[in-house]
Amino acid sequence: MKFFLDTADLAEIEEAASWGALAGVTTNPTLYARIGGKLDDFHNHIKRICDIVGPDCPVSAESVAMTRDEIVRDGRELAKIAPNVVVKIPTMVEGLAATRQLADEGIPVNMTLCFTVPQAILAARAGARYISPFVGRFDDISEDGLAQLDDVVRAIGNYDFTADTVNGEQIEIIAASIRSANHVTQAALMGADIATVPFGILKKCVSHPLTDRGLESFLKDWEKVQNA
């Protein structure tokens, strides 16, 4: 499983990229607003993210348009920012139509706000390169988001969608709305291709109290060696 960072914060992206395990970034309007982003700087900000992570790491930038023609127009403009930009489009009728058009033009799409197997299959058939089922938002309404993710992973894995994607790639499932390290664990066990996680959760994925305890013990023992 690959790790994407779910943020628009440049400092977080730079730090995560320095760890050597970051494979991509996902952004959305909420994350951009959270850092005080301005409309007239949005494209430049996405370009800065692309420059940080490099050309091999996809960066999802979301269209906020609501009609297919406007989404396609947005998508074309976003795709011009950098070759690794992926256009993020909500799973809805207009989004499906726009995804098909953009995919036919060679522009990769990440279909987001996906909550059901039928939505995921429709997104796949429309040509989405990535599909993002949300986990945490199901949990917010007292439903099992991990079970829904498992359903999507298994359903998409049942079929070959390579004829539908831009360059015949396999569709990748991005486990999104990740709220804990356990969400990451379960997504990996289910076979999700990617987990996109907030920086705080990514740090928790690295940490464990037994690691800290073991390191503390090693350092104490080495101090004894030095003083022997």
Side-chain angles (χ1 to χ4, degrees):
M1 187 174 72
K2 292 181 283 190
F3 281 98
F4 284 10
L5 196 63
D6 195 32
T7 187
D9 188 303
L10 298 181
E12 291 181 347
I13 295 167
E14 287 177 344
E15 175 60 22
S18 75
W19 299 357
L22 187 65
V25 174
T26 56
T27 67
N28 62 40
T30 299
L31 295 172
Y32 187 58
R34 191 175 293 164
I35 62 165
K38 305 297 183 184
L39 180 61
D40 60 3
D41 191 47
F42 178 64
H43 283 206
N44 288 332
H45 192 82
I46 295 298
K47 179 65 167 63
R48 287 192 285 272
I49 294 174
C50 292
D51 290 342
I52 291 170
V53 299
D56 295 329
C57 291
V59 175
S60 288
E62 188 160 348
S63 169
V64 294
M66 295 302 292
T67 69
R68 62 190 70 185
D69 290 342
E70 291 172 338
I71 296 169
V72 168
R73 191 177 306 116
D74 267 2
R76 289 169 178 159
E77 290 302 311
L78 290 168
K80 291 177 183 177
I81 296 172
N84 52 324
V85 166
V86 176
V87 180
K88 200 173 182 185
I89 298 175
T91 306
M92 57 183 184
V93 170
E94 296 300 293
L96 290 171
T99 295
R100 182 70 274 162
Q101 178 64 39
L102 291 170
D104 288 344
E105 294 179 16
I107 297 172
V109 170
N110 171 8
M111 289 220 82
T112 187
L113 291 172
C114 178
F115 292 95
T116 70
V117 168
Q119 284 181 319
I121 294 174
L122 286 165
R125 287 300 179 202
R129 174 67 177 82
Y130 303 93
I131 299 173
S132 294
F134 278 39
V135 176
R137 295 198 188 189
F138 267 115
D139 293 349
D140 291 343
I141 60 171
S142 300
E143 294 190 21
D144 190 345
L146 288 170
Q148 297 290 342
L149 173 63
D150 187 39
D151 286 347
V152 169
V153 169
R154 288 190 293 114
I156 294 299
N158 284 339
Y159 306 101
D160 182 359
F161 295 100
T162 54
D164 299 293
T165 54
V166 173
N167 295 308
E169 309 99 333
Q170 292 289 347
I171 291 172
E172 292 186 273
I173 301 298
I174 303 177
S177 187
I178 296 295
R179 305 284 175 79
S180 69
N182 182 58
H183 278 173
V184 175
T185 298
Q186 298 307 316
L189 292 172
M190 291 169 188
D193 302 289
I194 299 158
T196 187
V197 300
F199 186 58
I201 300 300
L202 189 65
K203 289 192 291 185
K204 289 182 179 179
C205 289
V206 180
S207 302
H208 194 279
L210 293 179
T211 303
D212 297 338
R213 191 180 306 170
L215 180 58
E216 182 181 2
S217 175
F218 290 160
L219 291 174
K220 285 181 178 178
D221 289 339
W222 187 247
E223 186 178 355
K224 294 176 184 178
V225 171
Q226 291 177 312
N227 296 328

PDB file of all heavy atoms in Angstrom, residues 2 86 99 108-111 123 127-131 165-166 169-173:
ATOM      1  N   LYS A   2       0.437   2.253  -0.746  1.00  0.00           N
ATOM      2  CA  LYS A   2       1.168   3.511  -0.819  1.00  0.00           C
ATOM      3  C   LYS A   2       0.535   4.533   0.126  1.00  0.00           C
ATOM      4  O   LYS A   2      -0.663   4.489   0.394  1.00  0.00           O
ATOM      5  CB  LYS A   2       1.156   4.036  -2.251  1.00  0.00           C
ATOM      6  CG  LYS A   2       1.967   3.178  -3.209  1.00  0.00           C
ATOM      7  CD  LYS A   2       1.974   3.729  -4.612  1.00  0.00           C
ATOM      8  CE  LYS A   2       0.690   3.464  -5.349  1.00  0.00           C
ATOM      9  NZ  LYS A   2       0.783   3.798  -6.788  1.00  0.00           N
ATOM     10  N   VAL A  86      -3.639  15.295 -10.813  1.00  0.00           N
ATOM     11  CA  VAL A  86      -4.811  14.446 -11.034  1.00  0.00           C
ATOM     12  C   VAL A  86      -6.037  15.285 -10.676  1.00  0.00           C
ATOM     13  O   VAL A  86      -6.071  15.918  -9.617  1.00  0.00           O
ATOM     14  CB  VAL A  86      -4.760  13.181 -10.153  1.00  0.00           C
ATOM     15  CG1 VAL A  86      -6.033  12.355 -10.309  1.00  0.00           C
ATOM     16  CG2 VAL A  86      -3.537  12.345 -10.497  1.00  0.00           C
ATOM     17  N   THR A  99     -15.733  13.060 -16.069  1.00  0.00           N
ATOM     18  CA  THR A  99     -14.640  12.090 -15.952  1.00  0.00           C
ATOM     19  C   THR A  99     -14.416  11.368 -17.269  1.00  0.00           C
ATOM     20  O   THR A  99     -13.279  11.194 -17.720  1.00  0.00           O
ATOM     21  CB  THR A  99     -14.931  11.088 -14.826  1.00  0.00           C
ATOM     22  OG1 THR A  99     -14.949  11.779 -13.581  1.00  0.00           O
ATOM     23  CG2 THR A  99     -13.892   9.983 -14.771  1.00  0.00           C
ATOM     24  N   PRO A 108      -5.962  12.244 -16.085  1.00  0.00           N
ATOM     25  CA  PRO A 108      -6.369  11.302 -15.028  1.00  0.00           C
ATOM     26  C   PRO A 108      -7.283  11.958 -14.005  1.00  0.00           C
ATOM     27  O   PRO A 108      -7.153  13.141 -13.683  1.00  0.00           O
ATOM     28  CB  PRO A 108      -5.037  10.885 -14.390  1.00  0.00           C
ATOM     29  CG  PRO A 108      -4.120  12.031 -14.660  1.00  0.00           C
ATOM     30  CD  PRO A 108      -4.535  12.611 -15.983  1.00  0.00           C
ATOM     31  N   VAL A 109      -8.215  11.158 -13.489  1.00  0.00           N
ATOM     32  CA  VAL A 109      -9.231  11.646 -12.548  1.00  0.00           C
ATOM     33  C   VAL A 109      -9.227  10.795 -11.284  1.00  0.00           C
ATOM     34  O   VAL A 109      -9.101   9.567 -11.342  1.00  0.00           O
ATOM     35  CB  VAL A 109     -10.637  11.617 -13.192  1.00  0.00           C
ATOM     36  CG1 VAL A 109     -11.726  11.886 -12.155  1.00  0.00           C
ATOM     37  CG2 VAL A 109     -10.721  12.633 -14.326  1.00  0.00           C
ATOM     38  N   ASN A 110      -9.374  11.474 -10.162  1.00  0.00           N
ATOM     39  CA  ASN A 110      -9.615  10.823  -8.877  1.00  0.00           C
ATOM     40  C   ASN A 110     -11.065  11.120  -8.501  1.00  0.00           C
ATOM     41  O   ASN A 110     -11.401  12.263  -8.196  1.00  0.00           O
ATOM     42  CB  ASN A 110      -8.641  11.373  -7.830  1.00  0.00           C
ATOM     43  CG  ASN A 110      -8.947  10.914  -6.412  1.00  0.00           C
ATOM     44  OD1 ASN A 110      -9.803  10.069  -6.183  1.00  0.00           O
ATOM     45  ND2 ASN A 110      -8.236  11.478  -5.446  1.00  0.00           N
ATOM     46  N   MET A 111     -11.922  10.112  -8.527  1.00  0.00           N
ATOM     47  CA  MET A 111     -13.326  10.324  -8.150  1.00  0.00           C
ATOM     48  C   MET A 111     -13.446  10.206  -6.637  1.00  0.00           C
ATOM     49  O   MET A 111     -13.140   9.169  -6.042  1.00  0.00           O
ATOM     50  CB  MET A 111     -14.267   9.345  -8.845  1.00  0.00           C
ATOM     51  CG  MET A 111     -14.413   9.620 -10.320  1.00  0.00           C
ATOM     52  SD  MET A 111     -16.096   9.416 -10.958  1.00  0.00           S
ATOM     53  CE  MET A 111     -16.834  11.000 -10.513  1.00  0.00           C
ATOM     54  N   ALA A 123     -17.860   4.932 -11.403  1.00  0.00           N
ATOM     55  CA  ALA A 123     -16.659   5.749 -11.541  1.00  0.00           C
ATOM     56  C   ALA A 123     -15.603   5.035 -12.370  1.00  0.00           C
ATOM     57  O   ALA A 123     -14.942   5.638 -13.229  1.00  0.00           O
ATOM     58  CB  ALA A 123     -16.107   6.103 -10.165  1.00  0.00           C
ATOM     59  N   GLY A 127     -14.006   5.905 -16.386  1.00  0.00           N
ATOM     60  CA  GLY A 127     -12.611   6.149 -16.718  1.00  0.00           C
ATOM     61  C   GLY A 127     -11.755   6.700 -15.603  1.00  0.00           C
ATOM     62  O   GLY A 127     -10.628   7.149 -15.843  1.00  0.00           O
ATOM     63  N   ALA A 128     -12.257   6.682 -14.359  1.00  0.00           N
ATOM     64  CA  ALA A 128     -11.462   7.199 -13.240  1.00  0.00           C
ATOM     65  C   ALA A 128     -10.173   6.400 -13.079  1.00  0.00           C
ATOM     66  O   ALA A 128     -10.175   5.175 -13.183  1.00  0.00           O
ATOM     67  CB  ALA A 128     -12.268   7.149 -11.950  1.00  0.00           C
ATOM     68  N   ARG A 129      -9.083   7.100 -12.814  1.00  0.00           N
ATOM     69  CA  ARG A 129      -7.798   6.453 -12.549  1.00  0.00           C
ATOM     70  C   ARG A 129      -7.706   6.026 -11.089  1.00  0.00           C
ATOM     71  O   ARG A 129      -7.099   5.008 -10.756  1.00  0.00           O
ATOM     72  CB  ARG A 129      -6.664   7.426 -12.904  1.00  0.00           C
ATOM     73  CG  ARG A 129      -5.265   6.953 -12.548  1.00  0.00           C
ATOM     74  CD  ARG A 129      -4.855   5.752 -13.379  1.00  0.00           C
ATOM     75  NE  ARG A 129      -3.492   5.369 -13.068  1.00  0.00           N
ATOM     76  CZ  ARG A 129      -3.138   4.619 -12.022  1.00  0.00           C
ATOM     77  NH1 ARG A 129      -4.064   4.161 -11.187  1.00  0.00           N
ATOM     78  NH2 ARG A 129      -1.878   4.301 -11.819  1.00  0.00           N
ATOM     79  N   TYR A 130      -8.296   6.848 -10.216  1.00  0.00           N
ATOM     80  CA  TYR A 130      -8.337   6.564  -8.782  1.00  0.00           C
ATOM     81  C   TYR A 130      -9.783   6.712  -8.300  1.00  0.00           C
ATOM     82  O   TYR A 130     -10.536   7.535  -8.812  1.00  0.00           O
ATOM     83  CB  TYR A 130      -7.465   7.551  -7.988  1.00  0.00           C
ATOM     84  CG  TYR A 130      -6.021   7.599  -8.401  1.00  0.00           C
ATOM     85  CD1 TYR A 130      -5.581   8.522  -9.350  1.00  0.00           C
ATOM     86  CD2 TYR A 130      -5.084   6.730  -7.849  1.00  0.00           C
ATOM     87  CE1 TYR A 130      -4.249   8.576  -9.738  1.00  0.00           C
ATOM     88  CE2 TYR A 130      -3.749   6.777  -8.234  1.00  0.00           C
ATOM     89  CZ  TYR A 130      -3.340   7.708  -9.178  1.00  0.00           C
ATOM     90  OH  TYR A 130      -2.019   7.747  -9.561  1.00  0.00           O
ATOM     91  N   ILE A 131     -10.139   5.913  -7.307  1.00  0.00           N
ATOM     92  CA  ILE A 131     -11.450   6.019  -6.670  1.00  0.00           C
ATOM     93  C   ILE A 131     -11.216   6.137  -5.172  1.00  0.00           C
ATOM     94  O   ILE A 131     -10.454   5.359  -4.596  1.00  0.00           O
ATOM     95  CB  ILE A 131     -12.341   4.809  -6.985  1.00  0.00           C
ATOM     96  CG1 ILE A 131     -12.584   4.719  -8.501  1.00  0.00           C
ATOM     97  CG2 ILE A 131     -13.673   4.895  -6.241  1.00  0.00           C
ATOM     98  CD1 ILE A 131     -13.316   3.455  -8.926  1.00  0.00           C
ATOM     99  N   THR A 165      -9.429   3.203 -18.439  1.00  0.00           N
ATOM    100  CA  THR A 165      -8.545   4.237 -17.903  1.00  0.00           C
ATOM    101  C   THR A 165      -7.714   4.888 -19.005  1.00  0.00           C
ATOM    102  O   THR A 165      -7.676   4.410 -20.145  1.00  0.00           O
ATOM    103  CB  THR A 165      -7.618   3.657 -16.819  1.00  0.00           C
ATOM    104  OG1 THR A 165      -6.924   2.530 -17.349  1.00  0.00           O
ATOM    105  CG2 THR A 165      -8.411   3.229 -15.598  1.00  0.00           C
ATOM    106  N   VAL A 166      -7.036   5.986 -18.643  1.00  0.00           N
ATOM    107  CA  VAL A 166      -6.353   6.829 -19.628  1.00  0.00           C
ATOM    108  C   VAL A 166      -5.347   6.050 -20.451  1.00  0.00           C
ATOM    109  O   VAL A 166      -5.358   6.084 -21.678  1.00  0.00           O
ATOM    110  CB  VAL A 166      -5.654   8.008 -18.910  1.00  0.00           C
ATOM    111  CG1 VAL A 166      -4.790   8.787 -19.890  1.00  0.00           C
ATOM    112  CG2 VAL A 166      -6.690   8.936 -18.293  1.00  0.00           C
ATOM    113  N   GLU A 169      -4.169   1.710 -17.352  1.00  0.00           N
ATOM    114  CA  GLU A 169      -3.668   1.369 -16.019  1.00  0.00           C
ATOM    115  C   GLU A 169      -4.759   0.660 -15.219  1.00  0.00           C
ATOM    116  O   GLU A 169      -5.944   0.769 -15.497  1.00  0.00           O
ATOM    117  CB  GLU A 169      -3.260   2.636 -15.240  1.00  0.00           C
ATOM    118  CG  GLU A 169      -2.338   3.568 -15.983  1.00  0.00           C
ATOM    119  CD  GLU A 169      -3.093   4.726 -16.613  1.00  0.00           C
ATOM    120  OE1 GLU A 169      -4.291   4.572 -16.932  1.00  0.00           O
ATOM    121  OE2 GLU A 169      -2.473   5.779 -16.784  1.00  0.00           O
ATOM    122  N   GLN A 170      -4.315  -0.053 -14.205  1.00  0.00           N
ATOM    123  CA  GLN A 170      -5.255  -0.595 -13.239  1.00  0.00           C
ATOM    124  C   GLN A 170      -5.766   0.548 -12.359  1.00  0.00           C
ATOM    125  O   GLN A 170      -4.999   1.432 -11.968  1.00  0.00           O
ATOM    126  CB  GLN A 170      -4.569  -1.647 -12.348  1.00  0.00           C
ATOM    127  CG  GLN A 170      -4.172  -2.908 -13.076  1.00  0.00           C
ATOM    128  CD  GLN A 170      -5.371  -3.766 -13.470  1.00  0.00           C
ATOM    129  OE1 GLN A 170      -6.473  -3.559 -13.005  1.00  0.00           O
ATOM    130  NE2 GLN A 170      -5.123  -4.734 -14.335  1.00  0.00           N
ATOM    131  N   ILE A 171      -7.039   0.550 -12.068  1.00  0.00           N
ATOM    132  CA  ILE A 171      -7.590   1.527 -11.135  1.00  0.00           C
ATOM    133  C   ILE A 171      -7.001   1.277  -9.756  1.00  0.00           C
ATOM    134  O   ILE A 171      -6.806   0.137  -9.346  1.00  0.00           O
ATOM    135  CB  ILE A 171      -9.124   1.397 -11.073  1.00  0.00           C
ATOM    136  CG1 ILE A 171      -9.733   1.850 -12.398  1.00  0.00           C
ATOM    137  CG2 ILE A 171      -9.709   2.205  -9.921  1.00  0.00           C
ATOM    138  CD1 ILE A 171     -11.208   1.580 -12.497  1.00  0.00           C
ATOM    139  N   GLU A 172      -6.714   2.374  -9.048  1.00  0.00           N
ATOM    140  CA  GLU A 172      -6.228   2.256  -7.676  1.00  0.00           C
ATOM    141  C   GLU A 172      -7.261   2.825  -6.713  1.00  0.00           C
ATOM    142  O   GLU A 172      -7.834   3.890  -6.955  1.00  0.00           O
ATOM    143  CB  GLU A 172      -4.890   2.970  -7.526  1.00  0.00           C
ATOM    144  CG  GLU A 172      -3.765   2.272  -8.294  1.00  0.00           C
ATOM    145  CD  GLU A 172      -2.413   2.900  -8.040  1.00  0.00           C
ATOM    146  OE1 GLU A 172      -2.072   3.855  -8.750  1.00  0.00           O
ATOM    147  OE2 GLU A 172      -1.695   2.431  -7.132  1.00  0.00           O
ATOM    148  N   ILE A 173      -7.482   2.089  -5.639  1.00  0.00           N
ATOM    149  CA  ILE A 173      -8.432   2.503  -4.613  1.00  0.00           C
ATOM    150  C   ILE A 173      -7.681   3.277  -3.533  1.00  0.00           C
ATOM    151  O   ILE A 173      -6.722   2.774  -2.944  1.00  0.00           O
ATOM    152  CB  ILE A 173      -9.140   1.293  -3.983  1.00  0.00           C
ATOM    153  CG1 ILE A 173      -9.889   0.486  -5.055  1.00  0.00           C
ATOM    154  CG2 ILE A 173     -10.087   1.737  -2.865  1.00  0.00           C
ATOM    155  CD1 ILE A 173     -10.979   1.243  -5.756  1.00  0.00           C
TER     156      ILE A 173
END
